[in-house]
Amino acid sequence: MNKLRQSFRRKKDVYVPEASRPHQWQTDEEGVRTGKCSFPVKYLGHVEVDESRGMHICEDAVKRLKAVCILIKILL
């Protein structure tokens, strides 16, 4: 009975950090090392981060930057 019940339960997705997926970054790394890549970006400001990798780190940093921009607009 327990096996039947477990077969109907959804399995949770396992989070794999981006640092553990180097195969996805090989082409970018080669381009950076040879100087043949470009990443067009818009300067939003600067914010200190705790870690050097991860999309969630970038998302948190952008949220903090946007909050600061909103606060500056309110004060001006």
Side-chain angles (χ1 to χ4, degrees):
M1 186 69 172
N2 195 20
K3 275 188 169 182
L4 180 64
R5 186 180 315 143
Q6 287 179 349
S7 68
F8 288 113
R9 292 185 181 170
R10 275 194 263 163
K11 294 185 176 37
K12 294 181 182 178
D13 292 335
V14 177
Y15 174 73
V16 178
E18 292 187 25
S20 298
R21 297 182 256 168
H23 62 280
Q24 292 181 341
W25 300 102
Q26 286 177 350
T27 56
D28 288 338
E29 184 179 352
E30 291 169 4
V32 169
R33 289 181 190 270
T34 59
K36 295 181 180 178
C37 68
S38 63
F39 297 98
V41 296
K42 184 176 180 181
Y43 180 74
L44 299 175
H46 67 279
V47 66
E48 187 175 352
V49 294
D50 299 329
E51 299 175 36
S52 63
R53 291 184 179 254
M55 188 57 90
H56 62 283
I57 301 295
C58 295
E59 290 171 349
D60 291 342
V62 169
K63 285 179 187 176
R64 285 189 274 161
L65 284 171
K66 286 183 178 181
V68 169
C69 289
I70 291 171
L71 180 64
I72 289 173
K73 286 180 182 180
I74 290 173
L75 294 176
L76 296 177

